Amino acid sequence: MLSFLYARQSGLDDPVRLRRAESTRRVLSLELNHNRDVDRIHGNGINTLDIEVIDGRYMLSGGSDGVIVIYDLENNSKKPQYTCKAICTVGRSVCRHVHKFSVETVQWYPHDTGMFVSSSFDKTMKVWDTETLKPAEEFQFDGNVYCHHMSPVARKHSLVAVGTKDPKVQLCDLKSGSRIHILQGHRGEILSVRWSPRYDHILATASTDSRVHIWDVRRASGSLFTLDQHNGDKSKTSSEAVNTAHNGRVNGLCFTADGLHLLTTGTDDRMRLWNSATGENTLVNYGKVVNESRKGLKFTVSRGCSPEFVFVPCGSSVAVYGLHSGELITMLRGHYNNVDCCEFHPDYQELYSGGKDCNILAWVPVLRQPDIEDEETNSKRGGTHAAINPAFEDAWSSDED
Amino acid sequence: MRKQLNKEVAVFKSRMNRKRALIADTFCLTKRRRCAADSVTGESQADIRSSLQYLVTLFSRKLFNDSLPPVVLKHQLYSLHNDKTSVDKQVVRSDCNKCSTWDSVQSHFIIITLMHSEALVFSFPRQNELRETGELLMFQLGFDSEAFALVFAEDYRAKVLQGEAGRGTLGTVEKFLTKLIPSCSDLSFNKEKMLKEFLFTDSEITQLVKSGVLTVRDAGSWWLSIPNSGKFIKYFIKGRKAVLGMVKKSKYGEILQTELEGRRTTSQVKFQMKYHIHDIIGAELVECIQTTSGTLLRYVDGNVN
């Protein structure tokens, strides 16, 4: 660590390297911390979480009871013990515009926190004004809305892609309120939609027909290409499964932060990494990623680390895999019931996960222990495992630079 | 608040060791760069071959009266090697030569600068994939879309010709094998390919199906298969079920691997215990936990057997 600091100071190394190394170290030491807690508001399972992009301060959560809660993640109390308070709630008794059934997806407006969009099994998608907590716009659909997504980089358009029970992907325009743009190609329910974080016109959709389509929304014709798990080698599989991304329903999509790779999960208990430009399967083998979700699975990828990590809810724990190596790093155990969603906070390298046990857990990197000379402070702290300490001492002493 | 049992602590500690190694790696990145060229890939390829040979010895030839070549399943290799992706890369033919992962330290990078300051980056995989060189054949067994069987090409050829000796179909089968083994690594063939590329006639194709080298996949396409492998699949599935049942019935649904190897096999289990153990570990039908008394195998709920 000292060598990294010296190299940065003297200009031998790029400043990014130190940041990346430290971010990676922090992600590898994620743990439940008894100092950090999130207010428990939901009475039913939590389906979705979203942290706003601008400040990373406010987090939205949507629950199975239709309730939406906004939390403040920042710790201004000057004490290490902190509970993330719920600032406001769109609750059942308080608000008459609340969703009738479970909220499946929530997302902050990517450019400021004045607005957020939520979609639910009551076949509506509502665009909320954060100040008044009233919906500014409501879109009605014919079937359950499984997911929606707004492009995080788009400046020229404000399209929301919506995946419902209908095999047609609908694009709703927030500027005009119209939703005439339809993407046809799937043959089953759309379980997940995701815009690329690199290009504002590229959209990926995943469906129960085992296929993932990549679309360019500016084109009038069909999808750009479909992801094929065998990379065109038709001989490997039975003829019905040709040109499919998974051998079961595809229920999770996530782009990496640079938008160059796409991760998909399916009910065949597999997770696959694809090159998002060519649609080629990189054949990274993550092993068995247990997936029994009938709806979409919300998982996330770390940002700013090297190597990157994937956090996937697996049963009642969150599995952490190395993105390109496919190796299972660790399982984060702490929930009492199934985990449904997880969200990574890139500035503090924290992970928030929510599940059926109505808890949102905050996984916080373990702080470095003070030196052995300060014995008093050591005895005061307690709690954190001594196993971390020798690791960093070893790293320091082995660096001869 | 969240207490852990002794075994969980052992798991935790082993995970911490791995994390420690990863953390140490992150900060020792500069040292790695200065290391001499990695001989890791050369070693790992030799490793795969030696693991395959080891697994071949576990296969019971006498059970089938020596009519089957030794069959190893691809996921049995996962139980011997940690990195599934590198095992796949060496065993499964990759269609393109381009490197699609960002951090493969093990490939050469050759950068050719063209005009207009463009550069092409080529990466050549250092190891020859075993299937590219025609040493290894892969088959789709049929009972699981993810289970692939691997057979050494010489063994396969020898056994097939041995089985065909004295039959009228010998000539066609020999012709097929000479076409197949050096160059082709497909798992299935469709009619066009058989007629145009391999120049077989319809009657010859029927002969191949009769001899067992091809099995019907669909109208007009065939899987490559091992003759007389039906018995193998039957015994294999029964044995797998029996071994998993042994693990499930143990106290707490878990058993030490050494203890399981020492157990007496029932009449359902025809293969060697170790063969089945590698299979269930590699297919992740049991969870493998490192403890201070050895590897513990814990039955994973939700298996469709």
Side-chain angles (χ1 to χ4, degrees):
Chain A
M1 174 71 176
L2 284 177
S3 68
F4 270 81
L5 284 168
Y6 179 71
R8 183 184 192 279
Q9 183 182 22
S10 56
L12 282 171
D13 265 345
D14 215 275
V16 178
R17 284 200 69 217
L18 170 64
R19 184 187 170 142
R20 261 200 228 129
E22 183 62 18
S23 303
T24 315
R25 185 199 68 80
R26 282 169 65 88
V27 172
L28 286 171
S29 61
L30 278 179
E31 228 186 40
L32 276 182
N33 196 335
H34 58 254
N35 281 335
R36 180 70 70 91
D37 214 353
V38 180
D39 242 359
R40 192 178 158 150
I41 305 284
H42 284 279
N44 240 317
I46 293 157
N47 283 330
T48 174
L49 291 171
D50 189 43
I51 300 179
E52 47 121 356
V53 188
I54 303 105
D55 279 334
R57 182 171 175 178
Y58 298 107
M59 181 167 78
L60 267 177
S61 77
S64 298
D65 44 4
V67 172
I68 303 173
V69 187
I70 303 178
Y71 304 90
D72 182 359
L73 299 178
E74 206 168 282
N75 182 1
N76 288 326
S77 65
K78 295 187 187 132
K79 280 182 285 183
Q81 221 289 329
Y82 176 65
T83 306
C84 299
K85 294 262 170 290
I87 308 174
C88 43
T89 317
V90 176
R92 298 214 72 86
S93 44
V94 172
C95 183
R96 61 188 170 85
H97 302 285
V98 71
H99 281 288
K100 292 195 186 62
F101 299 130
S102 116
V103 175
E104 285 304 306
T105 321
V106 280
Q107 194 194 2
W108 285 106
Y109 182 56
H111 306 298
D112 66 50
T113 52
M115 192 165 92
F116 60 89
V117 186
S118 69
S119 63
S120 132
F121 269 2
D122 65 355
K123 305 183 189 171
T124 62
M125 182 170 79
K126 295 191 181 171
V127 181
W128 299 83
D129 178 352
T130 325
E131 288 292 314
T132 58
L133 282 186
K134 288 200 175 63
E137 177 73 69
E138 189 174 313
F139 293 92
Q140 287 279 359
F141 295 96
D142 288 329
N144 289 345
V145 183
Y146 282 110
C147 57
H148 75 266
H149 197 235
M150 257 186 291
S151 173
V153 292
R155 294 276 164 195
K156 295 199 193 116
H157 69 77
S158 31
L159 291 171
V160 185
V162 186
T164 67
K165 232 173 177 166
D166 199 11
K168 301 196 192 88
V169 182
Q170 307 219 20
L171 296 177
C172 303
D173 189 352
L174 289 180
K175 277 197 206 131
S176 62
S178 72
R179 44 196 186 105
I180 44 174
H181 198 162
I182 295 178
L183 302 173
Q184 273 196 354
H186 279 294
R187 288 190 216 132
E189 304 173 349
I190 314 285
L191 294 179
S192 189
V193 290
R194 213 92 193 145
W195 290 90
S196 161
R198 199 176 176 87
Y199 302 110
D200 59 359
H201 50 263
I202 300 289
L203 175 69
T205 56
S207 153
T208 51
D209 64 359
S210 318
R211 288 185 167 75
V212 175
H213 283 269
I214 308 283
W215 311 83
D216 180 343
V217 296
R218 303 170 302 186
R219 272 163 58 130
S221 54
S223 64
L224 285 175
F225 48 84
T226 319
L227 299 181
D228 181 7
Q229 55 177 313
H230 301 289
N231 285 335
D233 188 3
K234 293 201 180 53
S235 69
K236 283 233 180 71
T237 168
S238 59
S239 5
E240 301 88 47
V242 164
N243 215 22
T244 54
H246 281 268
N247 292 327
R249 298 191 291 271
V250 190
N251 55 15
L253 280 179
C254 188
F255 275 95
T256 54
D258 51 13
L260 294 169
H261 291 267
L262 173 65
L263 277 163
T264 60
T265 54
T267 51
D268 59 346
D269 293 342
R270 296 275 175 262
M271 182 159 71
R272 299 192 209 275
L273 181 70
W274 310 81
N275 181 333
S276 60
T278 57
E280 177 208 335
N281 186 354
T282 58
L283 297 172
V284 178
N285 193 333
Y286 297 96
K288 192 168 170 184
V289 181
V290 177
N291 186 347
E292 290 159 347
S293 178
R294 291 212 55 126
K295 316 181 287 190
L297 183 70
K298 291 170 175 59
F299 62 102
T300 182
V301 180
S302 68
R303 283 197 275 293
C305 308
S306 148
E308 298 286 5
F309 302 98
V310 189
F311 304 96
V312 189
C314 249
S316 61
S317 47
V318 180
V320 184
Y321 290 94
L323 182 68
H324 291 291
S325 65
E327 185 193 344
L328 174 66
I329 311 276
T330 183
M331 297 279 273
L332 300 173
R333 280 180 236 270
H335 278 277
Y336 295 125
N337 208 329
N338 276 340
V339 182
D340 283 326
C341 52
C342 55
E343 188 70 24
F344 185 71
H345 194 312
D347 295 330
Y348 299 118
Q349 288 85 40
E350 290 165 356
L351 183 73
Y352 292 89
S353 59
K356 284 206 176 62
D357 57 353
C358 319
N359 280 329
I360 300 179
L361 290 182
W363 305 85
V364 174
V366 174
L367 294 174
R368 287 182 199 271
Q369 282 284 32
D371 284 342
I372 307 175
E373 290 102 67
D374 308 334
E375 270 175 7
E376 290 147 3
T377 37
N378 236 350
S379 55
K380 265 191 218 158
R381 277 179 175 250
T384 35
H385 296 271
I388 297 283
N389 213 352
F392 300 127
E393 289 187 344
D394 281 345
W396 294 6
S397 58
S398 64
D399 265 319
E400 300 295 340
D401 307 316
Chain B
M1 190 163 75
R2 297 167 207 271
K3 294 212 169 111
Q4 288 172 337
L5 304 169
N6 279 338
K7 285 198 184 119
E8 300 274 322
V9 172
V11 174
F12 180 78
K13 284 208 171 124
S14 67
R15 289 260 154 72
M16 294 311 295
N17 286 331
R18 226 186 322 164
K19 273 202 261 185
R20 241 186 264 168
L22 278 165
I23 291 168
D25 271 349
T26 316
F27 281 107
C28 294
L29 283 174
T30 42
K31 278 217 164 166
R32 254 199 163 193
R33 261 196 301 185
R34 286 189 231 119
C35 269
D38 261 339
S39 56
V40 173
T41 34
E43 280 174 15
S44 61
Q45 198 208 356
D47 273 347
I48 300 278
R49 187 174 285 142
S50 55
S51 327
L52 279 172
Q53 279 161 353
Y54 161 67
L55 288 167
V56 158
T57 57
L58 293 176
F59 181 84
S60 353
R61 286 173 200 258
K62 282 184 298 200
L63 193 58
F64 305 102
N65 293 329
D66 225 16
S67 61
L68 263 191
V71 179
V72 170
L73 286 118
K74 184 173 76 137
H75 57 252
Q76 285 173 327
L77 285 171
Y78 297 157
S79 67
L80 293 167
H81 293 268
N82 267 330
D83 194 356
K84 296 190 185 84
T85 313
S86 65
V87 167
D88 275 353
K89 275 210 179 94
Q90 295 191 30
V91 164
V92 177
R93 184 186 75 153
S94 49
D95 269 332
C96 47
N97 274 334
K98 291 199 305 282
C99 176
S100 43
T101 59
W102 290 86
D103 65 341
S104 46
V105 194
Q106 296 145 357
S107 313
H108 288 301
F109 283 96
I110 301 175
I111 303 182
I112 304 173
T113 18
L114 303 175
M115 301 192 304
H116 310 300
S117 352
E118 282 172 355
L120 286 172
V121 181
F122 286 93
S123 96
F124 293 90
R126 272 214 232 154
Q127 59 273 33
N128 289 321
E129 279 91 345
L130 287 164
R131 287 187 67 222
E132 288 272 300
T133 56
E135 265 190 66
L136 206 60
L137 290 172
M138 195 154 97
F139 302 92
Q140 167 72 275
L141 284 180
F143 62 86
D144 188 359
S145 57
E146 304 265 347
F148 295 102
L150 299 169
V151 183
F152 278 113
E154 311 95 54
D155 288 339
Y156 180 72
R157 191 200 177 86
K159 293 295 175 190
V160 169
L161 292 177
Q162 177 191 325
E164 285 295 306
R167 287 203 217 157
T169 48
L170 179 64
T172 333
V173 172
E174 240 186 289
K175 183 174 159 199
F176 181 68
L177 286 177
T178 42
K179 285 235 159 77
L180 170 78
I181 285 179
S183 56
C184 184
S185 38
D186 278 340
L187 270 72
S188 73
F189 308 95
N190 59 11
K191 199 155 188 185
E192 261 180 54
K193 191 164 187 180
M194 295 296 281
L195 293 177
K196 307 264 165 59
E197 234 181 274
F198 290 169
L199 303 168
F200 280 112
T201 60
D202 270 338
S203 58
E204 285 181 325
I205 298 177
T206 325
Q207 285 182 353
L208 288 173
V209 175
K210 255 172 73 176
S211 68
V213 175
L214 292 178
T215 20
V216 169
R217 170 188 175 215
D218 192 9
S221 69
W222 300 270
W223 290 114
L224 184 67
S225 84
I226 311 167
N228 307 321
S229 60
K231 216 169 159 191
F232 165 75
I233 296 178
K234 185 173 90 170
Y235 288 158
F236 182 77
I237 295 180
K238 265 200 199 156
R240 187 196 249 191
K241 215 171 181 174
V243 172
L244 277 176
M246 271 194 236
V247 178
K248 192 174 179 188
K249 281 193 211 135
S250 314
K251 198 172 185 192
Y252 305 121
E254 55 196 22
I255 184 172
L256 283 171
Q257 185 173 341
T258 40
E259 200 188 314
L260 186 62
E261 281 169 14
R263 284 251 185 113
R264 214 160 46 106
T265 58
T266 63
S267 61
Q268 297 275 18
V269 180
K270 309 271 190 214
F271 290 104
Q272 282 191 41
M273 201 47 152
K274 284 197 179 170
Y275 190 80
H276 278 297
I277 289 178
H278 283 300
D279 164 53
I280 57 178
I281 295 178
E284 293 188 73
L285 296 167
V286 287
E287 203 182 320
C288 221
I289 300 166
Q290 301 296 331
T291 65
T292 43
S293 10
T295 317
L296 184 74
L297 303 175
R298 185 182 285 161
Y299 183 74
V300 173
D301 252 340
N303 270 335
V304 180
N305 250 342

PDB file of all heavy atoms in Angstrom, chain B residues 83-98:
ATOM      1  N   ASP B  83     -10.254 -23.609 -11.686  1.00  0.00           N
ATOM      2  CA  ASP B  83     -10.693 -22.612 -12.658  1.00  0.00           C
ATOM      3  C   ASP B  83     -11.486 -23.272 -13.776  1.00  0.00           C
ATOM      4  O   ASP B  83     -10.929 -23.852 -14.700  1.00  0.00           O
ATOM      5  CB  ASP B  83      -9.456 -21.905 -13.223  1.00  0.00           C
ATOM      6  CG  ASP B  83      -9.835 -20.649 -13.977  1.00  0.00           C
ATOM      7  OD1 ASP B  83     -11.048 -20.392 -14.104  1.00  0.00           O
ATOM      8  OD2 ASP B  83      -8.927 -19.935 -14.429  1.00  0.00           O
ATOM      9  N   LYS B  84     -12.813 -23.170 -13.685  1.00  0.00           N
ATOM     10  CA  LYS B  84     -13.644 -23.854 -14.682  1.00  0.00           C
ATOM     11  C   LYS B  84     -13.453 -23.258 -16.062  1.00  0.00           C
ATOM     12  O   LYS B  84     -13.521 -23.947 -17.075  1.00  0.00           O
ATOM     13  CB  LYS B  84     -15.119 -23.723 -14.289  1.00  0.00           C
ATOM     14  CG  LYS B  84     -15.467 -24.382 -13.006  1.00  0.00           C
ATOM     15  CD  LYS B  84     -16.975 -24.407 -12.846  1.00  0.00           C
ATOM     16  CE  LYS B  84     -17.371 -24.941 -11.517  1.00  0.00           C
ATOM     17  NZ  LYS B  84     -17.378 -23.967 -10.444  1.00  0.00           N
ATOM     18  N   THR B  85     -13.235 -21.936 -16.106  1.00  0.00           N
ATOM     19  CA  THR B  85     -13.139 -21.279 -17.405  1.00  0.00           C
ATOM     20  C   THR B  85     -11.933 -21.788 -18.178  1.00  0.00           C
ATOM     21  O   THR B  85     -12.018 -22.028 -19.388  1.00  0.00           O
ATOM     22  CB  THR B  85     -13.016 -19.764 -17.209  1.00  0.00           C
ATOM     23  OG1 THR B  85     -13.994 -19.350 -16.266  1.00  0.00           O
ATOM     24  CG2 THR B  85     -13.238 -19.041 -18.505  1.00  0.00           C
ATOM     25  N   SER B  86     -10.797 -21.989 -17.500  1.00  0.00           N
ATOM     26  CA  SER B  86      -9.622 -22.438 -18.250  1.00  0.00           C
ATOM     27  C   SER B  86      -9.786 -23.893 -18.673  1.00  0.00           C
ATOM     28  O   SER B  86      -9.321 -24.282 -19.746  1.00  0.00           O
ATOM     29  CB  SER B  86      -8.348 -22.254 -17.437  1.00  0.00           C
ATOM     30  OG  SER B  86      -8.374 -23.084 -16.319  1.00  0.00           O
ATOM     31  N   VAL B  87     -10.452 -24.691 -17.861  1.00  0.00           N
ATOM     32  CA  VAL B  87     -10.725 -26.072 -18.271  1.00  0.00           C
ATOM     33  C   VAL B  87     -11.568 -26.065 -19.533  1.00  0.00           C
ATOM     34  O   VAL B  87     -11.286 -26.760 -20.512  1.00  0.00           O
ATOM     35  CB  VAL B  87     -11.447 -26.848 -17.146  1.00  0.00           C
ATOM     36  CG1 VAL B  87     -11.997 -28.156 -17.663  1.00  0.00           C
ATOM     37  CG2 VAL B  87     -10.524 -27.091 -15.989  1.00  0.00           C
ATOM     38  N   ASP B  88     -12.609 -25.241 -19.518  1.00  0.00           N
ATOM     39  CA  ASP B  88     -13.472 -25.149 -20.698  1.00  0.00           C
ATOM     40  C   ASP B  88     -12.683 -24.726 -21.922  1.00  0.00           C
ATOM     41  O   ASP B  88     -12.853 -25.275 -23.011  1.00  0.00           O
ATOM     42  CB  ASP B  88     -14.565 -24.110 -20.461  1.00  0.00           C
ATOM     43  CG  ASP B  88     -15.752 -24.690 -19.724  1.00  0.00           C
ATOM     44  OD1 ASP B  88     -15.763 -25.922 -19.536  1.00  0.00           O
ATOM     45  OD2 ASP B  88     -16.646 -23.930 -19.354  1.00  0.00           O
ATOM     46  N   LYS B  89     -11.829 -23.745 -21.741  1.00  0.00           N
ATOM     47  CA  LYS B  89     -11.086 -23.218 -22.895  1.00  0.00           C
ATOM     48  C   LYS B  89     -10.232 -24.297 -23.515  1.00  0.00           C
ATOM     49  O   LYS B  89     -10.060 -24.348 -24.715  1.00  0.00           O
ATOM     50  CB  LYS B  89     -10.167 -22.076 -22.439  1.00  0.00           C
ATOM     51  CG  LYS B  89     -10.835 -20.748 -22.373  1.00  0.00           C
ATOM     52  CD  LYS B  89      -9.852 -19.628 -22.651  1.00  0.00           C
ATOM     53  CE  LYS B  89     -10.554 -18.295 -22.601  1.00  0.00           C
ATOM     54  NZ  LYS B  89     -10.474 -17.649 -21.300  1.00  0.00           N
ATOM     55  N   GLN B  90      -9.689 -25.170 -22.703  1.00  0.00           N
ATOM     56  CA  GLN B  90      -8.802 -26.175 -23.267  1.00  0.00           C
ATOM     57  C   GLN B  90      -9.548 -27.349 -23.848  1.00  0.00           C
ATOM     58  O   GLN B  90      -9.050 -28.017 -24.734  1.00  0.00           O
ATOM     59  CB  GLN B  90      -7.860 -26.675 -22.187  1.00  0.00           C
ATOM     60  CG  GLN B  90      -6.955 -25.566 -21.740  1.00  0.00           C
ATOM     61  CD  GLN B  90      -5.864 -26.095 -20.892  1.00  0.00           C
ATOM     62  OE1 GLN B  90      -5.451 -27.236 -21.074  1.00  0.00           O
ATOM     63  NE2 GLN B  90      -5.397 -25.310 -19.967  1.00  0.00           N
ATOM     64  N   VAL B  91     -10.723 -27.596 -23.323  1.00  0.00           N
ATOM     65  CA  VAL B  91     -11.419 -28.796 -23.753  1.00  0.00           C
ATOM     66  C   VAL B  91     -12.445 -28.497 -24.840  1.00  0.00           C
ATOM     67  O   VAL B  91     -12.638 -29.269 -25.759  1.00  0.00           O
ATOM     68  CB  VAL B  91     -12.098 -29.457 -22.537  1.00  0.00           C
ATOM     69  CG1 VAL B  91     -13.114 -30.456 -22.962  1.00  0.00           C
ATOM     70  CG2 VAL B  91     -11.058 -30.084 -21.657  1.00  0.00           C
ATOM     71  N   VAL B  92     -13.078 -27.351 -24.726  1.00  0.00           N
ATOM     72  CA  VAL B  92     -14.117 -26.999 -25.692  1.00  0.00           C
ATOM     73  C   VAL B  92     -13.485 -26.189 -26.789  1.00  0.00           C
ATOM     74  O   VAL B  92     -12.719 -25.287 -26.541  1.00  0.00           O
ATOM     75  CB  VAL B  92     -15.221 -26.162 -25.015  1.00  0.00           C
ATOM     76  CG1 VAL B  92     -16.255 -25.717 -25.995  1.00  0.00           C
ATOM     77  CG2 VAL B  92     -15.849 -26.966 -23.914  1.00  0.00           C
ATOM     78  N   ARG B  93     -13.838 -26.470 -28.000  1.00  0.00           N
ATOM     79  CA  ARG B  93     -13.222 -25.737 -29.097  1.00  0.00           C
ATOM     80  C   ARG B  93     -13.778 -24.329 -29.102  1.00  0.00           C
ATOM     81  O   ARG B  93     -14.977 -24.112 -29.058  1.00  0.00           O
ATOM     82  CB  ARG B  93     -13.545 -26.430 -30.402  1.00  0.00           C
ATOM     83  CG  ARG B  93     -12.859 -25.767 -31.585  1.00  0.00           C
ATOM     84  CD  ARG B  93     -13.316 -26.370 -32.863  1.00  0.00           C
ATOM     85  NE  ARG B  93     -14.646 -25.933 -33.209  1.00  0.00           N
ATOM     86  CZ  ARG B  93     -15.083 -25.879 -34.468  1.00  0.00           C
ATOM     87  NH1 ARG B  93     -14.291 -26.230 -35.426  1.00  0.00           N
ATOM     88  NH2 ARG B  93     -16.315 -25.492 -34.728  1.00  0.00           N
ATOM     89  N   SER B  94     -12.880 -23.341 -29.119  1.00  0.00           N
ATOM     90  CA  SER B  94     -13.381 -21.974 -29.239  1.00  0.00           C
ATOM     91  C   SER B  94     -13.409 -21.628 -30.708  1.00  0.00           C
ATOM     92  O   SER B  94     -12.466 -21.860 -31.438  1.00  0.00           O
ATOM     93  CB  SER B  94     -12.505 -21.015 -28.464  1.00  0.00           C
ATOM     94  OG  SER B  94     -11.158 -21.228 -28.788  1.00  0.00           O
ATOM     95  N   ASP B  95     -14.501 -21.050 -31.132  1.00  0.00           N
ATOM     96  CA  ASP B  95     -14.695 -20.820 -32.550  1.00  0.00           C
ATOM     97  C   ASP B  95     -13.808 -19.729 -33.117  1.00  0.00           C
ATOM     98  O   ASP B  95     -13.518 -19.691 -34.288  1.00  0.00           O
ATOM     99  CB  ASP B  95     -16.154 -20.436 -32.813  1.00  0.00           C
ATOM    100  CG  ASP B  95     -16.975 -21.669 -33.103  1.00  0.00           C
ATOM    101  OD1 ASP B  95     -16.387 -22.630 -33.599  1.00  0.00           O
ATOM    102  OD2 ASP B  95     -18.178 -21.663 -32.841  1.00  0.00           O
ATOM    103  N   CYS B  96     -13.436 -18.793 -32.265  1.00  0.00           N
ATOM    104  CA  CYS B  96     -12.676 -17.691 -32.834  1.00  0.00           C
ATOM    105  C   CYS B  96     -11.333 -17.625 -32.146  1.00  0.00           C
ATOM    106  O   CYS B  96     -11.168 -18.057 -31.029  1.00  0.00           O
ATOM    107  CB  CYS B  96     -13.417 -16.387 -32.647  1.00  0.00           C
ATOM    108  SG  CYS B  96     -14.019 -16.192 -30.985  1.00  0.00           S
ATOM    109  N   ASN B  97     -10.363 -17.060 -32.790  1.00  0.00           N
ATOM    110  CA  ASN B  97      -9.045 -16.913 -32.201  1.00  0.00           C
ATOM    111  C   ASN B  97      -8.918 -15.638 -31.404  1.00  0.00           C
ATOM    112  O   ASN B  97      -7.942 -15.424 -30.740  1.00  0.00           O
ATOM    113  CB  ASN B  97      -7.980 -16.918 -33.307  1.00  0.00           C
ATOM    114  CG  ASN B  97      -7.577 -18.320 -33.639  1.00  0.00           C
ATOM    115  OD1 ASN B  97      -7.683 -19.191 -32.796  1.00  0.00           O
ATOM    116  ND2 ASN B  97      -7.141 -18.535 -34.851  1.00  0.00           N
ATOM    117  N   LYS B  98      -9.899 -14.764 -31.494  1.00  0.00           N
ATOM    118  CA  LYS B  98      -9.811 -13.486 -30.780  1.00  0.00           C
ATOM    119  C   LYS B  98      -9.917 -13.740 -29.290  1.00  0.00           C
ATOM    120  O   LYS B  98     -10.644 -14.601 -28.858  1.00  0.00           O
ATOM    121  CB  LYS B  98     -10.938 -12.553 -31.203  1.00  0.00           C
ATOM    122  CG  LYS B  98     -10.819 -12.070 -32.604  1.00  0.00           C
ATOM    123  CD  LYS B  98     -11.674 -10.820 -32.822  1.00  0.00           C
ATOM    124  CE  LYS B  98     -13.115 -10.985 -32.447  1.00  0.00           C
ATOM    125  NZ  LYS B  98     -13.892 -11.703 -33.427  1.00  0.00           N
TER     126      LYS B  98
END
